[in-house]
Amino acid sequence: MNENLVKECEQIMLSEFSEMHGQVQLLHEERTNLIDALRQLEAANLEAGASGKHEFPSLGRGKYSECSTTASSDGKQEFEDVSEEDEPSFHDTKEYFNEPNVGSVTNLSTSGYPNIKRRTKLPDPAEKEKGVSLWSMIKDNVGKDLTRVCLPVYFNEPISSLQKCFEDLEYSHLLDRAYEYGKSGNGLLRALYVAAFAVSGYASTEGRHCKPFNPLLGETYEADFPEKGIRFFSEKVSHHPTVIACHCEGKGWKFWGDTNLRSKFWGRSIQVEPVGVLTLEFDDGEVFQWSKVTSTIYNIILGKLYCDHHGVMQIRGNRQYSCTLKFKEQSILERNPHQVNGFVEDVAGKKAATIFGKWDDSLYYVSGDGISKTKVSDPASNASLLWKRTKPPPNITRYNLTSFAITLNELTPGLQEILPPTDSRLRPDQRHLENGEYEKANLEKQRLERRQRMSRQLQESGWRPRWFEREGESETFKYTGGYWEARGHRNWDDCPDIFGEITEELADSA
């Protein structure tokens, strides 16, 4: 090669790069200005709300929340990732501020403290942790159900399985959006956003290697989030098999289901198979049902611990659209893990849209039967963003809890006084673990496990759930009502003190 020819090629390349860099910089400035304009509109609306003068009918929670509830860098990234042809993700500014939903949020909340400041980090540990070998704990339990194996508190994260169920509602705004699209007659986009919601529940599992606390029989958990327009309730309704039932009310929709986790240890991995049906019902009568896919935790003994979800998820609708999603199992040489692919089809079996993405990052769709071969990190220009995961918190602990999960076990001011004695936030071993008091947490866990051993006898003697009821042997547990009314009157007379000391009378009754 001639040296002059090489230099000439370099000059051409640098010239092209310089031109492209200028275009990118201009695009960056335009989008930064757009985000600044949105922030100014939000600030003006908040100031008007504080002074009692509303320039807009209300500050919409549905569409606008994706930009306003995340950090500024998140908002910037979200706008950069979406193409200009992404119609479902971009809306006229007027639409952001005209959703008349503040009233419905207020009516939904019975807490009396709608403006709640939630924490952004866990308490600093009071003690230094002592490492424990997982292999030494479970080597004699190969092939057994791990829900019946007692592990030290070191392997737990400071939330219960009841609270873990509520993590599936972190991106509940997707259901708000699905409700609005269905109400306006767009059934396809409703089905797409329901699919995005079903996938988004897995995002918080990335990097989570500790197990949640197994609730006691009759243990409950409530979550009143007026800022999200939802309230949630769950209860452990069966000890053997372990079954957790939940119910959530949102803006124009209800979500409920029960879950029985079957877990097995296979030497190098732990496999968890959820058994149960999740149901989503909109106020207009449209219903979607699905079951979760299999989850596996790999490299228990050697190597880097990681979690993967795999299998086929069928989201069945009772009207025009249903959805099929395939969670691809991660192989040893997989360069692009956590992939999800699927499609929405109508009652005639015709594919209306193709879905692709990653369960720990984002989900996109393309209208019609076209299957995109484009990488998720660089979606095609005709692909529209359905959902994107929020960034992790800056204060990461070994539990790898998300910003949303950090708030789940928090006792906000005035909350403890109105909770029933069965709420997970009042569980002592879980509270000690959150505070980093590991010795106390282990002692309390051992004490409560003695109570847990009596649960099967209590269940066999005719014990029944307080807030849920199963209509038939094969039916899902459904919320019977009354919890939020009892909470309003602070009437917990029929709720036992399940975290208290074991008395002789209790032992005799068991």
Side-chain angles (χ1 to χ4, degrees), residues 216-219 420-429 443-455 458 495-507:
L216 304 184
L217 186 64
E219 188 173 333
T422 53
D423 195 277
S424 291
R425 279 164 289 206
L426 305 179
R427 180 169 174 159
D429 53 350
L443 291 173
E444 284 294 331
K445 189 170 187 288
Q446 291 170 12
R447 179 181 70 83
L448 291 175
E449 278 170 354
R450 288 178 55 208
R451 291 193 69 124
Q452 188 79 306
R453 282 190 280 272
M454 297 188 295
S455 295
L458 285 170
C495 293
D497 181 15
I498 60 174
F499 304 131
E501 293 293 335
I502 303 175
T503 62
E504 293 183 8
E505 292 81 3
L506 181 62

Side-chain angles (χ1 to χ4, degrees), residues 137-138 140-151 211 214 239-243 260-266 270-273 275 456:
M137 298 290 110
I138 59 178
D140 298 325
N141 297 286
V142 175
K144 294 183 181 179
D145 185 351
L146 283 189
T147 59
R148 309 185 71 180
V149 177
C150 298
L151 296 174
K211 66 185 290 287
N214 183 22
H239 176 63
H240 186 72
T242 299
V243 179
N260 172 20
L261 296 178
R262 295 177 182 170
S263 57
K264 292 290 180 67
F265 172 56
W266 298 116
I270 297 174
Q271 185 170 302
V272 180
E273 295 182 2
V275 180
R456 184 169 183 174

Side-chain angles (χ1 to χ4, degrees), residues 319-372:
R319 289 191 181 170
Q320 187 177 2
Y321 295 104
S322 295
C323 181
T324 301
L325 296 171
K326 182 179 180 181
F327 289 67
K328 184 180 178 183
E329 187 170 6
Q330 183 174 340
S331 63
I332 297 175
L333 301 176
E334 183 64 65
R335 293 184 179 181
N336 191 21
H338 308 162
Q339 291 184 58
V340 179
N341 295 282
F343 55 87
V344 173
E345 63 180 2
D346 58 20
V347 288
K350 181 181 178 182
K351 291 183 181 179
T354 302
I355 302 173
F356 63 97
K358 299 175 72 172
W359 55 257
D360 67 328
D361 182 71
S362 55
L363 206 65
Y364 296 83
Y365 81 93
V366 178
S367 297
D369 194 13
I371 300 176
S372 175

Side-chain angles (χ1 to χ4, degrees), residues 211-375:
K211 66 185 290 287
F213 280 85
N214 183 22
L216 304 184
L217 186 64
E219 188 173 333
T220 63
Y221 175 70
E222 66 153 72
D224 190 5
F225 275 62
E227 66 270 34
K228 293 174 70 71
I230 58 175
R231 64 182 184 186
F232 170 93
F233 180 72
S234 58
E235 179 183 10
K236 182 173 179 179
V237 294
S238 171
H239 176 63
H240 186 72
T242 299
V243 179
I244 291 169
C246 69
H247 179 88
C248 184
E249 301 171 15
K251 183 198 167 187
W253 53 268
K254 292 180 181 178
F255 172 80
W256 70 87
D258 57 42
T259 303
N260 172 20
L261 296 178
R262 295 177 182 170
S263 57
K264 292 290 180 67
F265 172 56
W266 298 116
R268 293 186 299 174
S269 63
I270 297 174
Q271 185 170 302
V272 180
E273 295 182 2
V275 180
V277 177
L278 302 175
T279 302
L280 171 67
E281 181 179 4
F282 293 98
D283 283 358
D284 56 18
E286 187 165 14
V287 177
F288 292 90
Q289 289 186 316
W290 67 91
S291 298
K292 292 201 165 189
V293 297
T294 301
S295 301
T296 305
I297 302 173
Y298 296 94
N299 296 337
I300 297 296
I301 311 305
L302 293 172
K304 184 180 180 182
L305 203 67
Y306 70 94
C307 176
D308 190 33
H309 309 287
H310 47 92
V312 176
M313 177 185 287
Q314 297 280 355
I315 304 176
R316 300 170 296 278
N318 68 338
R319 289 191 181 170
Q320 187 177 2
Y321 295 104
S322 295
C323 181
T324 301
L325 296 171
K326 182 179 180 181
F327 289 67
K328 184 180 178 183
E329 187 170 6
Q330 183 174 340
S331 63
I332 297 175
L333 301 176
E334 183 64 65
R335 293 184 179 181
N336 191 21
H338 308 162
Q339 291 184 58
V340 179
N341 295 282
F343 55 87
V344 173
E345 63 180 2
D346 58 20
V347 288
K350 181 181 178 182
K351 291 183 181 179
T354 302
I355 302 173
F356 63 97
K358 299 175 72 172
W359 55 257
D360 67 328
D361 182 71
S362 55
L363 206 65
Y364 296 83
Y365 81 93
V366 178
S367 297
D369 194 13
I371 300 176
S372 175
K373 299 292 183 182
T374 315
K375 293 181 179 179

